[in-house]
Amino acid sequence: MATYLEFIQQNEERDGVRFSWNVWPSSRLEATRMVVPLACLLTPLKERPDLPPVQYEPVLCSRPTCKAILNPLCQVDYRAKLWACNFCFQRNQFPPAYTGISEVNQPAELMPQFSTIEYMIQRGARSPLIFLYVVDTCLEEDDLQALKESLQMSLSLLPPDALVGLITFGRMVQVHELSCEGISKSYVFRGTKDLTAKQIQDMLGLTKSAMPMQQARPAQPQEQPFVSSRFLQPVHKIDMNLTDLLGELQRDPWPVTQGKRPLRSTGVALSIAVGLLEGTFPNTGARIMLFTGGPPTQGPGMVVGDELKTPIRSWHDIEKDNARFMKKATKHYEMLANRTATNGHCIDIYACALDQTGLLEMKCCPNLTGGHMVMGDSFNTSLFKQTFQRIFSKDFNGDFRMAFGATLEVKTSRELKIAGAIGPCVSLNVKGPCVSENELGVGGTSQWKICGLDPTSTLGIYFEVVNQHNAPIPQGGRGAIQFVTQYQHSSTQKRIRVTTIARNWADAQSQLRHIEAAFDQEAAAVLMARLGVFRAESEEGPDVLRWLDRQLIRLCQKFGQYNKEDPTSFRLSDSFSLYPQFMFHLRRSPFLQVFNNSPDESSYYRHHFARQDLTQSLIMIQPILYSYSFHGPPEPVLLDSSSILADRILLMDTFFQIVIYLGETIAQWRKAGYQDMPEYENFKHLLQAPLDDAQEILQARFPMPRYINTEHGGSQARFLLSKVNPSQTHNNLYAWGQETGAPILTDDVSLQVFMDHLKKLAVSSAS
Amino acid sequence: MNVNQSAPPVPPFGQNQPIYPGYHQSSYGGQPGPAVAATPYGAYNGPVPGYQQIPPQGVPRAPPSSGVPPASTMQAPCGQTAYGQFGQGDIQNGPSSTAQMQRLQGSQQFGSPLAPVVSQPAVLQPYGPPPTSTQVTAQLAGMQISGAVSQAPPSSGLGYGPPTSLASASGSFPNSGPYGSYPQSQAPPLSQAQGHPGVQPPLRSAPPLASSFTSPASGGPRMPSMTGPLPPGQGFGSLPVSQPNHVSSTPAHALPPGTQMTGPPGPPPPMHSPQQPGYQLQQNGSFGPARGPQPNYESPYPGTPTFGSQPGPPQPLPPKRLDPDAIPSPIQVIEDDRNNRGSEPFVTGVRGQVPPLVTTNFLVKDQGNASPRYIRCTSYNIPCTADMAKQAQVPLAAVIKPLARLPPEEASPYVVDHGESGPLRCNRCKAYMCPLMTFIEGGRRFQCSFCSCINDVPPQYFQHLDHTGKRVDAYDRPELSLGSYEFLATVDYCKNNKFPSPPAFIFMIDVSYNAIRTGLVRLLCEELKSLLDYLPREGGAEESAIRVGFVTYNKVLHFYNVKSSLAQPQMMVVSDVADMFVPLLDGFLVNVKESRAVITSLLDKIPEMFADTRETETVFAPVIQAGMEALKAAECAGKLFLFHTSLPIAEAPGKLKNRDDRKLLNTDKEKTLFQPQTGAYQTLAKECVAQGCCVDLFLFPNQYVDVATLSVVPQLTGGSVYKYACFQVENDQERFLSDLRRDVQKVVGFDAVMRVRTSTGIRAVDFFGAFYMSNTTDVELAGLDEDKTVTVEFKHDDRLNEESGALLQCALLYTSCAGQRRLRIHNLALNCCTQLADLYRNCETDTLINYMAKFAYRGVVNSPVKTVRDTLITQCAQILACYRKNCASPSSAGQLILPECMKLLPVYLNCVLKSDVLQPGAEVTTDDRAYVRQLVSSMDVAETNVFFYPRLLPLTKSPIDSTSEPPAVRASEERLSSGDIYLLENGLNLFVWVGASVQQGVVQSLFNVSSFSQITSGLSVLPVLDNPLSKKVRGLIDSLRAQRMRYMKLIVVKQEDKLEMLFKHFLVEDKSLSGGASYVDFLCHMHKEIRQLLS
């Protein structure tokens, strides 16, 4: 097993790929019986400091329907200067530049360690990155002030040649012209009227100047950057202007009467932002960054009316079909998201408010375009400030981590077909021979567009084994998959990253052991979770849970070792041992449970779940709990109520929250001030240790988690209590002995009960 | 004269001539055989004959004796001179004399010979004897006058004994007969008259003229003289002319009218032959230049065509011409009124008093009736019954100027605060407490004098009555003792039951290519910087409460945030013109003082920002919409100042197309040119009115902009339209800035509702002016400034009571410029009469013209222009015919007798008929017509008066050191002497006309060039020179401009220059190029109409 674990880890580090199965069942039938589909988590831009991009272009298979890229798995005839495509077996001539190759003089893409390689494309016009700020002005004064400062600060983080634009909105929407001297100028739009892209461009005067030019000189469509320059300007040119402009930004001046929400035209503002970029910079890397402090209250995309007495929709309302604006608003934002994706731009949403802001309706904007979604209580919190700052973080090369306008193309060898992808992407609707008819996630295509991505963006990609049972694959045959990601690097270069992987086929009948041993339960859990969350977006919650349960039971039936009808005999091998526990926590997670979460929160959690890499995803599913005590170094402990002890300090990381929890005794000691006494310096260190660790996590995490420092009996302890396995509750308090843990007041089932039940069902022949 | 002749487009002449062929020839030539000539022109026959007869005497004017010898002699004494000429047929009121007489007697009858002077020239030719004719006329005149005196002095109207007397002299004679008797009575005058002669001798001395005169005379064919200012013609014509002049110059005034008249003629018949020449000479001398009239002769004919309907005149009118001097002269009337009524304050205490003319300077003392500055009526004595009113056809109308500016000597209305209970009102008709209410039952109740309802006096308002039944505190309370006062309104009188916020001014500036290119934007922005310090403020307020906002626009709108906290202004572009909205609230409307720095910075930047604009298209309706929405958002009333250059052709609501089509002129479709292209503007205006958004429009068109449509909103919101065609900063800067300053600074009320209540029996039925009405009684004015006037027409709905009279109460509810809600009340009590004569005795022609012009101008939207003109003529004829029939003493049907108060009606009406709207010349554009049309709709009486009958002031006649304005002369070319310089103004235009033979010294001192030929024609500024003449003229121009609502642009016109055509357009007594009749012709025509009505 160790070997497999190493193999998996190595693969992940090199290729950014984790498969649910690392040995593939060789027939469709067997594959279906495996329950967990053959799938992988792909992190297309996984940071590879050791992988400098090569400065030439990839060599493609000459078969028009294939166009696979030359890779280490291809057979090469050095003498004839031919190579055989390992996907379609087409024999291809090397291009003239490769005349010098030989066994000892191989190009990088033929070396096995370059199963992942990045090409840098030199040709084609480079267009600068574009950042369009869309700022809500219906904020409280200090919130707005904080936001303004963040925005001003961000100017210094942008690449100097990047273009920036500013749209502000409240009751009206203002598109600010940045090029003017002396007087700040903006175009204003009514917040209640939806406009087509054409209208927007007309009204911004973008088409007018372009049209005559085209007529005059049809051959030179180069004017575009010039035309749009009024609204999008290079940072280095106008950062002073823009800083002033932001400084003078006023709160929305329209009076808000008692009992009303401010009128907020988020829908139109976004629509204008999209229209503006659509008309001026289609297919160029661009970020629309929406900062909003409340729900859209008017115009298309409105989520709630402006009467405060009508609260914003809750899950309850949605279930009762009582959310009157939801469908329409969702449709509006979906339309925008699709348009944006088509143009290769991405939309970020930074929503900071105590109440909901309509993320449920707007979620598709970041979800489909690869944008960020950040939710906070106020712009005046470090959560927002640091998260925002982190958007502009740089990698080891000093390049921005963000990348734009990526197209991910997947090619498979003929035994496999592509069922779909789940992640921050949209389908490009490219049908091909390797596209399956069964869809999992966004399917029906072999290419997806990921408008905005960073080194951690991860997609779940699902495959279907199509090899028929009666056409066995010859011994030693391997299945291959090639991921080709073309994207615009933050340095504005166009790059292509190619990852080619291969796995062995195994006959499930005879070699089930191999397959079983090659199961990656972590990847499988995340992939299944993604499927579940994907379904949850469109299906009723209970249905999804039932489906998950059924899958789990089937998996246990398939791979468990047991005697029929004897739950106690049930065993799972090591490679599956954690899987049920993941599923247990997944069922309780906010991704599938909406109880106690607002629709916005659910959307927020799901958004991040669908794009984080495996490690982070696992943390989301099953938070990590560390225990600090005088008894030894910090140690990870079970996410269980039994871990909550009086003389411990707990540090829980749920990805979205970092909770530090002081046990009862510790809390009392601290209250008594022992930490300030020189003789109890060790206590002071103990108190400090989790804080330091938490800081470490906070530094690395995006988005910045909510940082909670609480203690036994504190109100915020609920964050911890709601996550741990309720092994001790008011119901079984005495059954479990008294020496440890804290009882959780809940009726939820505990992991033990869940497992008991699972075993029972797994061994039952009835299911 | 020459000019005139030449000027008249050949065609018209030709035509005319055919029609009146008989005129010259027959009349003049025919004199001898008067009968012949006479016949053709029934109407004028009268005069003609007179002439003819007169001719014999030919010699001096007095001589007319020939035909009328006896009479003449008799009459001569009476103001022969004045009327002598008229003697012929029509009798006119001696211009000056008549006026005076009227004043004195109330009504006079002047036998005014119509054709007199004019005809004379013609006559001259035929007759060597023309002089005689004059005599005759004189005689006639004299007789009539005497008649007047003796007869029924009371007769209200002036009687013009139209010379019409049947064809021949004989006809006239009969007339004379009756007069004959009078003459005697007047005999005394003779002596006076003689005295005059004595005085005049010097005149006679003016030999040269005489000589010339003689020559013409000798040349029996005086025709030639006609053309030139020949003395001969003058001789004859001059007589009359001279008279008036004489009168004025001579102390005669004091003398009884008759005497005055006689004065000049003084030369009694006997003298005639010998003296006449001298006389004429003299007259010539004095009037020499004036002679111009002769040419008129011809012209008048051409003019005739104007009376479309009339063309009939085929009757070979006697060739006679009315002497222009013999027909009522506006100048004289104005002068007389000034002299008679200018000195004493007009006290309003007495019901039904006719106030002095608008042209007279007088003080008003409010003693219970509104000052005539606020309300003027067409008649101050209203017929008791609808039947009478219908018979008289005199429109009953009041011209109300609720916020009129008062001279500094008069106190503005007191503000009365009745506290929380608000103003006291009649429970039934809601009339406000006023001096007309009667307190009864010891003061516990009051009876409403409008509806007779008896109301309780609220306890806090109770006061005891004195022995006369007046409240003891009557003189402590403005509302009980004054005709005009204001109430503070309570919250009940406010929109939404909320006291209004201070109003706002929004400046909306066109920044399209045209506006930038002409330099308008730069100029305007520069001006606004200083102008903003002069926003209207209430009373003694330190600073204006008015907030300001700025918008620029071309195809899209740019709003500006000029909040004081900003370092620099912010511009907000709204390009969604189809669905206009206001992009900001806070920071758009600001206090000038607080945001001064930002505003200045903005005004500096606007011209720069758009300096390179290439946008030529503009929108219009969205601009107004935006302003209105801004006011709505700010919840205040206000005013938009729009500076616009071109036809709004950009794609937006209210988009217009060029529909100017001259081919439509004189067709049934002509009216469409006055109608708005689209209903969108009316709808918009309605919204504006609801918001209290008044729109002032400044237009700077280079071509057609469809004023008819663009002015809809200003018109309906109580705004003004200013138009500067082909604006050039160099030429028009002063005019525009001056207008702008005045427009911005003038006192204005917002969100106003005006209601006119009347006592039972009459009712306000029709309203004219710039406002909107959503029902039939409330005049809604988004804005109302001190210049805006509303004309209200009344109709009977019941019998009126002579005892109680007819009462008007005009209540105006408005928001002052400080945001205070107020009610301004004007009360006016009028008399009622059962005798038509009383009506005619208490009319005001100027007001009448104001009403008729507005009525006609409104009519052109719905009816063909010709119909409108005919209606006017008919109505006028009916009015005069009714008088003739019911009020005038019996006289020959051939006599034209005009009521004293209305003797100027024909001349003024003719001016209205000839105006650009009703009879446009070739150079008058559709826009001009629409512009004038809407302009007139809110003019007050003084404005219409001078607009229709321009003032013509000789600049070089009076001594340089005299400080008073020179006496005006009549607006006729024949009054111009080529040796003088004249100034003409009509409230919109200002001309300086320079005669061709003006002394070089004068030219030098005025224009700083050495000769006439070096004067730049079309000059718009007089050089600033340090000499008395230059100072005086410039001073005069300045003072004239100060009097008028709008800055009058100066144009210097040289005699015989191309530009002179433009100038001549304003010589309204002459035939106009566009076919308008001359005064004389029109009078004849009117006479004929009247006769037709009478027969």
Side-chain angles (χ1 to χ4, degrees), chain A residues 171-174 176-177 180-193 195 200 202-205 208 241 244-245 248-255, chain B residues 555-556 558 560-561 563 565-587 601-602 605 609-610 614-615 629 633:
Chain A
R171 186 180 181 136
M172 308 287 169
V173 179
Q174 284 175 257
H176 295 266
E177 192 174 316
C180 30
E181 291 292 323
I183 185 167
S184 62
K185 192 171 168 185
S186 58
Y187 283 66
V188 187
F189 296 82
R190 202 192 264 276
T192 51
K193 192 175 170 188
L195 299 163
I200 290 167
D202 280 348
M203 289 178 182
L204 290 176
K208 201 190 143 250
N241 257 3
D244 292 349
L245 187 58
E248 289 213 328
L249 210 55
Q250 301 170 320
R251 290 181 63 199
D252 193 51
W254 297 88
Chain B
K555 241 171 74 176
V556 299
H558 320 110
Y560 295 92
N561 185 348
K563 197 174 175 176
S565 59
L566 294 176
Q568 58 179 29
Q570 293 176 351
M571 175 196 212
M572 303 185 150
V573 185
V574 172
S575 27
D576 189 1
V577 288
D579 189 10
M580 191 38 69
F581 63 96
V582 187
L584 78 171
L585 183 60
D586 189 29
S601 148
L602 169 67
K605 275 167 190 153
M609 276 191 296
F610 298 98
R614 290 165 67 189
E615 184 59 69
E629 298 282 353

Side-chain angles (χ1 to χ4, degrees), chain A residues 322-397:
Chain A
N322 246 350
R324 45 188 291 245
F325 302 111
M326 189 182 77
K327 284 214 178 88
K328 237 180 119 187
T330 308
K331 207 173 146 199
H332 175 76
Y333 293 111
E334 266 172 7
M335 178 269 293
L336 287 182
N338 283 316
R339 267 171 55 193
T340 312
T342 310
N343 297 318
H345 307 138
C346 72
I347 301 178
D348 295 348
I349 298 180
Y350 305 86
C352 287
L354 291 171
D355 197 1
Q356 299 187 71
T357 54
L359 288 181
L360 170 69
E361 285 80 358
M362 297 189 278
K363 66 185 174 199
C364 46
C365 292
N367 283 354
L368 299 188
T369 63
H372 300 299
M373 186 191 278
V374 175
M375 191 171 80
D377 289 344
S378 157
F379 288 108
N380 202 10
T381 56
S382 59
L383 185 146
F384 165 73
K385 289 179 186 169
Q386 302 204 13
T387 303
F388 182 56
Q389 211 165 341
R390 220 156 284 166
I391 303 269
F392 305 100
S393 61
K394 295 185 176 176
D395 63 13
F396 50 91
N397 279 334

Side-chain angles (χ1 to χ4, degrees), chain B residues 426 429 431 436-438 446-455:
Chain B
C426 167
C429 69
L436 305 171
M437 302 287 189
T438 325
F446 71 91
Q447 178 166 26
C448 172
S449 40
F450 294 91
C451 67
S452 307
C453 175
I454 294 182
N455 302 274

Side-chain angles (χ1 to χ4, degrees), chain B residues 24 29 36 39 59 155 188 219 247 290 397 426 460 619 670 691 746 791 807 956 993 998 1012 1095:
Chain B
H24 305 293
V36 182
T39 46
V59 196
S155 67
V247 175
C426 167
Q460 72 275 15
V619 295
E670 183 172 0
Q691 185 49 48
K746 67 186 170 187
T791 297
L807 313 178
T956 44
W993 182 88
V998 173
F1012 175 79
S1095 55

